[in-house]
Amino acid sequence: MLQTQRIANGKVLRLGLNAPPVNALTRTMIADIRKEIRAANAPGSDVKGLLLASNLPKIFSAGLDLTSFRLSQSNTREHIAEYVHSFEGLFHELAASHVPTATAVHGACPAGGTVVALCTDYRVASSEGPRFSMGINESRVGLVPNWIHPLLRSTLVSVRMADRLSQTGQLATTQKEALSLGFLDTVLEGASPEAVEADAVEKLLELGEQIPWNARVSAKLGARKDLIHALKEGDPALVDWITGPWFQDIVEKLMSQLKKKKN
């Protein structure tokens, strides 16, 4: 599910998403990532940076696990509430991490995959590679948590762009478009996945070793104050919205579409 590896002489912890076919953010995946974030941020930890990357060749992550939104006898409203709190907790812990974080984006990274990336300090991709997508398209399926707005406003190139994209749910379909919108910080021309990760490690070590730790953390938490607060509180209406008949109908339609694609 999640493969961890110490790299850069043990200074950086690589979190390799490895859950075919699409690295969905299942309950298990979320729990595994949160465990590593907490350990890295614990007193006495020697981790200088956390690198999120994919071990799959064509995708970073398709985002949240659709089946975890579907009401059933085995997946009750209480189970869905637990799942919602778990992914909001993941995003909060990433956004508030004192340890520097980076995402090496390779391939498709829509919706929840983009949220994960935007919660990290540095996002990089190659101009080459498999089919690419990045963006927050939740509005297109009728799901816009109240923390989406501070997330986009704190990461994209302008407040106006954040407001527009939160409404339209537009996905960037090229790395350079994602860079122009602010979903990515850097696009490396023709770089291999290994080169992209090496760039992310260099940035992590710069943040973790070359800038005074306490000053950097204070600046980060101050800049993300509204986002961190929103994620910590969570969206109180989200569970009711997800478990309501309108959204459940959307879930059924999306799952039917996915089933047809597999067949």
Side-chain angles (χ1 to χ4, degrees):
M1 224 14 130
L2 183 71
Q3 295 183 341
T4 61
Q5 179 185 6
R6 284 290 191 109
I7 58 177
N9 295 319
K11 296 179 179 180
V12 172
L13 179 63
R14 183 185 187 275
L15 305 180
L17 279 60
N18 190 42
V22 295
N23 279 339
L25 297 174
T26 61
R27 288 175 169 87
T28 300
M29 177 72 84
I30 289 171
D32 288 347
I33 298 174
R34 293 184 73 182
K35 176 183 176 183
E36 298 300 336
I37 295 171
R38 290 172 179 173
N41 280 271
S45 169
D46 62 350
V47 176
K48 300 298 184 182
L50 289 167
L51 171 62
L52 279 81
S54 174
N55 289 353
L56 303 185
K58 295 183 179 181
I59 191 165
F60 174 72
S61 172
L64 298 174
D65 178 30
L66 191 60
T67 60
S68 294
F69 286 141
R70 186 184 191 186
L71 273 172
S72 66
Q73 289 185 337
S74 61
N75 193 46
T76 64
R77 186 185 189 283
E78 289 70 28
H79 289 107
I80 292 175
E82 290 175 359
Y83 180 62
V84 169
H85 296 325
S86 72
F87 67 69
E88 287 183 327
L90 167 62
F91 301 152
H92 171 257
E93 289 168 6
L94 265 180
S97 173
H98 290 200
V99 175
T101 55
T103 305
V105 180
H106 184 67
C109 179
T114 293
V115 176
V116 167
L118 292 184
C119 286
T120 61
D121 301 316
Y122 182 66
R123 308 172 294 276
V124 58
S126 172
S127 63
E128 306 294 332
R131 186 175 180 179
F132 178 89
S133 63
M134 199 171 184
I136 307 292
N137 62 343
E138 275 75 0
S139 63
R140 300 204 171 201
V141 295
L143 189 68
V144 184
N146 62 10
W147 40 260
I148 285 291
H149 304 93
L151 172 68
L152 293 178
R153 290 184 180 191
S154 66
T155 53
L156 298 192
V157 294
S158 69
V159 170
R160 174 58 183 155
M161 184 65 70
D163 288 352
R164 182 169 69 82
L165 293 183
S166 68
Q167 295 178 56
T168 64
Q170 173 188 339
L171 293 179
T173 56
T174 69
Q175 294 86 340
K176 290 186 177 180
E177 182 185 9
L179 177 66
S180 71
L181 295 173
F183 290 120
L184 291 172
D185 295 307
T186 302
V187 173
L188 302 175
E189 287 294 329
S192 66
E194 293 77 15
V196 169
E197 291 192 22
D199 176 82
V201 167
E202 182 179 350
K203 180 60 68 174
L204 286 171
L205 294 179
E206 176 187 336
L207 291 171
E209 294 187 324
Q210 297 181 26
I211 302 172
W213 188 276
N214 290 338
R216 178 188 54 77
V217 171
S218 179
K220 173 179 178 175
L221 298 184
R224 297 184 178 188
K225 181 179 178 180
D226 291 343
L227 171 61
I228 290 170
H229 175 75
L231 287 169
K232 184 177 181 180
E233 294 297 315
D235 187 339
L238 194 53
V239 174
D240 287 338
W241 185 252
I242 290 170
T243 56
W246 191 82
F247 187 74
Q248 285 298 305
D249 184 56
I250 290 178
V251 170
E252 292 296 332
K253 290 177 180 177
L254 290 173
M255 293 188 70
S256 178
Q257 292 173 7
L258 291 174
K259 186 175 181 180
K260 288 180 181 179
K261 286 183 179 181
K262 289 180 179 179
N263 294 335

